[in-house]
Amino acid sequence: METENTKAPKNDPAGQAQMRKGVLEFCILCILSEKDAYPSEIIDAMKESKLIVVEGTLYPLLMRLKNEGRLAYEWKESTSGPPRKYYRLTPAGKDLLKELYASWSELVGSVEQIVKKYSSNIL
Amino acid sequence: METENTKAPKNDPAGQAQMRKGVLEFCILCILSEKDAYPSEIIDAMKESKLIVVEGTLYPLLMRLKNEGRLAYEWKESTSGPPRKYYRLTPAGKDLLKELYASWSELVGSVEQIVKKYSSNIL
DNA sequence: ATTTACTACTATGTATTGCAAGGTATTAAA
DNA sequence: TTTAATACCTTGCAATACATAGTAGTAAAT
């Protein structure tokens, strides 16, 4: 009897959305390690590296990191619109950044090893 | 008023579980591109590259890929136990492998760019 | 002064994946 | 017949990315 509890994905051509899970968090912490920034700035910085993030993704992520004590923020006035929430890394946030960097490096190492070892004919 | 709709993660020290989303699928297809294999073989191959996968993750994934037409399988006798399900890549599976490789390469490129550009003091 | 446009932040619901935990079934040996 | 080993399968939960929609402040135009 065939089990049919697994459906085809909806709108994720080549698993791009799934692959970036956990990576966005790392990238955001990277960007904030350079200087404080407000959400729209972060989105622009990610876009420059071809990592598209939308508000619906970024805001909950920042909120979660703040609740975990990894980030803090302060309101600052803007010359062209409503005030902005500038986020900055806390010491705990810097710790997380280091841990995520280690995890990322390890993951890349493992995957590259598998690619080289097993997949001799991808192209 | 503070919104408190985001809880701290449970048991994922440095986002390792989240980072591998979509990556396991890619690695499994890589391994199967070399030769047909049954689940335990795949788990062992992954383990050699320090990518731990458990049955509860692998079986649903293989099932899903089969339902999508990316994999096929055939039963084979074993000299030391019950018969095994040997999985192999279908043409559609090879296509997916190429796409996932492109996605992976792109992702690594983007993240590395951000790491180099923004995070000058991770260590 | 009211409307409009722009910027910025927030909330809700859905889809997908990884995993722990437990279960079923076949084979071979004690 | 029981036990151990191997192999496959299912269920329920946790977590993240995203689409979508909503709220609100500021500035410019009418």
Side-chain angles (χ1 to χ4, degrees):
Chain A
M1 169 85 116
E2 288 291 316
T3 54
E4 201 66 36
N5 52 352
T6 47
K7 289 164 284 184
K10 203 176 183 184
N11 234 345
D12 187 15
Q16 291 164 350
Q18 291 301 325
M19 271 191 184
R20 42 167 78 190
K21 295 231 173 185
V23 169
L24 296 182
E25 180 176 319
F26 172 48
C27 291
I28 287 161
L29 293 179
C30 276
I31 290 170
L32 289 176
S33 76
E34 192 72 5
K35 73 175 186 65
D36 298 358
Y38 68 101
S40 294
E41 269 185 304
I42 297 174
I43 290 177
D44 290 343
M46 303 274 282
K47 206 176 293 177
E48 277 180 28
S49 298
K50 300 209 169 55
L51 267 178
I52 309 298
V53 199
V54 296
E55 288 184 328
T57 298
L58 184 60
Y59 281 97
L61 213 171
L62 292 172
M63 181 85 76
R64 200 193 77 222
L65 289 170
K66 193 220 61 172
N67 289 340
E68 290 173 20
R70 312 297 192 166
L71 298 180
Y73 67 77
E74 53 184 346
W75 290 98
K76 286 189 184 177
E77 298 298 322
S78 165
T79 59
S80 63
R84 298 162 174 168
K85 248 183 178 174
Y86 277 80
Y87 285 88
R88 66 175 164 77
L89 282 181
T90 63
K94 288 178 185 172
D95 291 345
L96 178 60
L97 173 58
K98 287 176 191 170
E99 290 171 30
L100 288 175
Y101 180 65
S103 295
W104 169 250
S105 302
E106 205 176 305
L107 182 66
V108 171
S110 295
V111 174
E112 291 300 324
Q113 189 174 335
I114 286 179
V115 169
K116 281 176 189 163
K117 192 169 179 181
Y118 292 96
S119 183
S120 41
N121 50 355
I122 285 182
L123 302 178
Chain B
M1 168 87 114
E2 288 293 314
T3 54
E4 200 67 34
N5 53 352
T6 47
K7 290 165 283 184
K10 203 178 183 184
N11 235 343
D12 187 15
Q16 291 164 351
Q18 289 301 324
M19 270 191 184
R20 42 168 73 193
K21 295 238 171 181
V23 168
L24 296 182
E25 179 176 319
F26 172 48
C27 290
I28 285 161
L29 293 179
C30 275
I31 290 169
L32 289 176
S33 77
E34 192 71 6
K35 70 176 187 66
D36 297 0
Y38 68 102
S40 295
E41 270 185 302
I42 297 174
I43 290 178
D44 289 343
M46 304 272 283
K47 208 176 291 177
E48 277 179 29
S49 298
K50 299 209 168 54
L51 267 179
I52 309 299
V53 199
V54 296
E55 289 184 328
T57 300
L58 184 60
Y59 281 98
L61 213 171
L62 292 171
M63 181 85 75
R64 199 193 80 222
L65 289 169
K66 192 221 63 171
N67 289 341
E68 290 174 20
R70 311 296 193 165
L71 299 180
Y73 67 78
E74 53 184 345
W75 289 98
K76 285 189 186 178
E77 298 298 322
S78 164
T79 59
S80 63
R84 299 161 173 170
K85 245 183 180 176
Y86 278 82
Y87 284 88
R88 65 176 165 75
L89 282 181
T90 63
K94 290 178 185 172
D95 291 346
L96 178 60
L97 174 58
K98 287 176 191 171
E99 290 170 30
L100 286 175
Y101 180 66
S103 295
W104 168 251
S105 303
E106 206 176 304
L107 183 66
V108 171
S110 294
V111 174
E112 292 299 325
Q113 189 175 336
I114 287 179
V115 170
K116 281 176 189 163
K117 192 168 179 180
Y118 292 95
S119 183
S120 40
N121 49 356
I122 286 183
L123 301 179

